[in-house]
Amino acid sequence: MADLRHYAAMAQVPNDLPPTTGRVPVVELFQPGKVVHVCAPMVRYSKLPFRALVRRYNCDLAFSPMIIAESFVKSLKARDSEFTTNSADRPLVVQFAARDGVTLADAAEIVAPYSDGVDLNCGCPQRWAMAEGYGSCLLKNPELVSDMVRQARARVSDKDFSVSIKIRLHKDLRETVDMCQKAEHAGVSWIAVHGRTPTQRGEPVNTEAISLIKQSLSIPVIANGDIKNLEDVRRVQSLTGVDGVMAARGILQNPGMYAGYDQTPLQCVQDWVDISLKLGTHFTCFHHHLMYMFERVTPKSEKRVFNALTSTAAVLDYLEEHYGVSYNPDSAVNNKSLPTQNGYADTDNISLCFDS
């Protein structure tokens, strides 16, 4: 299966790497009576292999990790390493961190032949991002956000190509509503709302704020924050009336959550092994995803042993010995669940690098 990489807006694409076909209009996913299930953009984690995995488990829409638009546009190396997809990786939204309209439009033009939309990150609360003028820093400048949306929309002529934004809340919700309405007027396709302010971390998600935003707009709204199972999906949709939900930490810990599994099914582990190894996933990524999947369902003592493994061969030996999982793309494993450990396990050796 050949990876598809688009190297530059004006660069020649190799003959064996044609643009993908059959664009999926993202806005058409939002239908009355349906809640769209979304896999969030996650630095280092929501890459092609994981997107392929969650698509097997009722995930309707997947995001790339956040990509710095300026580097992506200027650097061949950045384009080659940061964006990988294939013909089955649809519908796909590529998220960018940007701080001016021309750069976002350039990046959108580059990925347009290989994706179904771009998203502007207006929610990342990390200090480095805000110091560079990215992420939550943009919440202070709704006119700039609207201009970036407008320029990206104008650059890609295909009306089915979406331009969206992902935001956090202002302390004054009137500012959030104003920003969203200005973005809608500028042509934004839909908006994802993380229901916390940039300074909040573990506080409860503000569903009343998300509901207010939804009521103030005529475009689709997606709720993000603390979505860990289908019960959370139903609860948040009932409270807010949103058109979709977006999961980060929850879907890492249980990639089968949108298919109704309360904990990671063993089939999901088998699928991850087969998909990730077939696509040549780096060991650290391969291992960390499994660490997340086992985080809440294995004893602390077992977790320490597994987390300390240092090679793909060692991980495969462990999985085969303990769970009967081995690398075989054609294997079939029953959808039984992994053993449950009461309570929440610790998160040693796991670093969260996304706006969950």
Side-chain angles (χ1 to χ4, degrees):
M1 187 186 317
D3 291 337
L4 301 175
R5 299 181 178 91
H6 191 41
Y7 294 118
M10 302 303 294
Q12 182 178 358
V13 178
N15 292 331
D16 60 337
L17 299 177
T20 56
T21 57
R23 171 164 293 147
V24 178
V26 176
V27 293
E28 292 185 6
L29 296 176
F30 302 103
Q31 299 293 332
K34 174 179 172 59
V35 181
V36 178
H37 299 156
V38 185
C39 179
M42 296 175 282
V43 174
R44 294 200 296 270
Y45 291 107
S46 56
K47 294 186 176 183
L48 174 60
F50 190 69
R51 298 195 300 263
L53 175 67
V54 297
R55 291 184 194 282
R56 294 189 179 188
Y57 291 87
N58 208 28
C59 179
D60 301 311
L61 175 64
F63 274 62
S64 75
M66 182 183 73
I67 301 170
I68 305 299
E70 186 174 2
S71 300
F72 188 81
V73 170
K74 293 181 178 179
S75 169
L76 175 65
K77 182 178 180 181
R79 290 192 291 275
D80 189 45
S81 63
E82 296 297 327
F83 180 60
T84 304
T85 186
N86 61 33
S87 59
D89 188 27
R90 311 302 285 269
L92 171 65
V93 170
V94 183
Q95 189 187 68
F96 287 106
R99 53 194 173 192
D100 71 87
V102 172
T103 303
L104 180 63
D106 288 343
E109 186 175 18
I110 292 172
V111 301
Y114 308 98
S115 63
D116 303 293
V118 292
D119 183 83
L120 174 63
N121 186 311
C122 303
C124 181
Q126 296 186 45
R127 291 178 183 175
W128 72 265
M130 297 185 69
E132 294 292 330
Y134 300 129
S136 291
C137 186
L138 295 174
L139 297 176
K140 303 173 185 177
N141 197 338
E143 288 78 14
L144 175 59
V145 171
S146 294
D147 180 66
M148 286 194 279
V149 167
R150 192 176 293 110
Q151 291 204 45
R153 165 58 60 218
R155 184 70 67 84
V156 181
S157 60
D158 188 344
K159 62 181 179 60
D160 289 334
F161 188 77
S162 70
V163 177
S164 57
I165 60 175
K166 184 175 184 291
I167 69 170
R168 278 193 172 223
L169 304 174
H170 298 79
K171 291 183 178 179
D172 185 344
L173 290 179
R174 290 174 296 183
E175 294 183 51
T176 309
V177 171
D178 177 68
M179 176 182 182
C180 292
Q181 289 177 336
K182 287 178 177 177
E184 179 179 15
H185 183 71
V188 78
S189 304
W190 47 274
I191 296 175
V193 182
H194 184 106
R196 297 185 178 96
T197 68
T199 60
Q200 292 178 320
R201 294 298 184 267
E203 293 86 344
V205 168
N206 190 339
T207 53
E208 291 183 2
I210 297 175
S211 177
L212 175 62
I213 293 167
K214 171 58 184 172
Q215 294 171 28
S216 303
L217 303 175
S218 60
I219 56 176
V221 173
I222 291 176
N224 175 224
D226 291 346
I227 303 295
K228 299 176 181 177
N229 50 52
L230 283 185
E231 180 55 36
D232 289 335
V233 173
R234 289 187 284 266
R235 175 182 56 81
V236 169
Q237 200 284 328
S238 176
L239 291 171
T240 64
V242 291
D243 307 277
V245 295
M246 176 183 287
R249 179 195 288 264
I251 203 168
L252 277 182
Q253 293 175 331
N254 178 11
M257 58 169 284
Y258 285 139
Y261 295 100
D262 293 329
Q263 56 195 40
T264 304
L266 189 58
Q267 177 68 55
C268 195
V269 176
Q270 178 70 63
D271 288 342
W272 172 246
V273 169
D274 294 341
I275 292 170
S276 60
L277 295 186
K278 184 176 182 181
L279 292 176
T281 304
H282 187 275
F283 168 72
T284 301
C285 182
F286 169 68
H287 190 204
H288 276 202
H289 273 291
L290 290 168
M291 288 161 63
Y292 273 113
M293 293 181 208
F294 291 147
E295 184 177 348
R296 294 188 175 184
V297 296
T298 55
K300 187 173 183 179
S301 58
E302 183 177 335
K303 184 183 295 78
R304 285 176 174 169
V305 173
F306 183 79
N307 291 2
L309 299 176
T310 59
S311 70
T312 299
V315 170
L316 290 177
D317 287 344
Y318 183 96
L319 293 176
E320 184 166 18
E321 178 180 351
H322 289 79
Y323 301 110
V325 172
S326 59
Y327 177 42
N328 180 359
D330 299 320
S331 67
V333 182
N334 293 329
N335 280 324
K336 55 187 178 181
S337 296
L338 294 163
T340 301
Q341 175 72 4
N342 292 331
Y344 287 84
D346 62 55
T347 57
D348 293 346
N349 299 322
I350 295 179
S351 174
L352 297 179
C353 301
F354 51 85
D355 181 24
S356 59

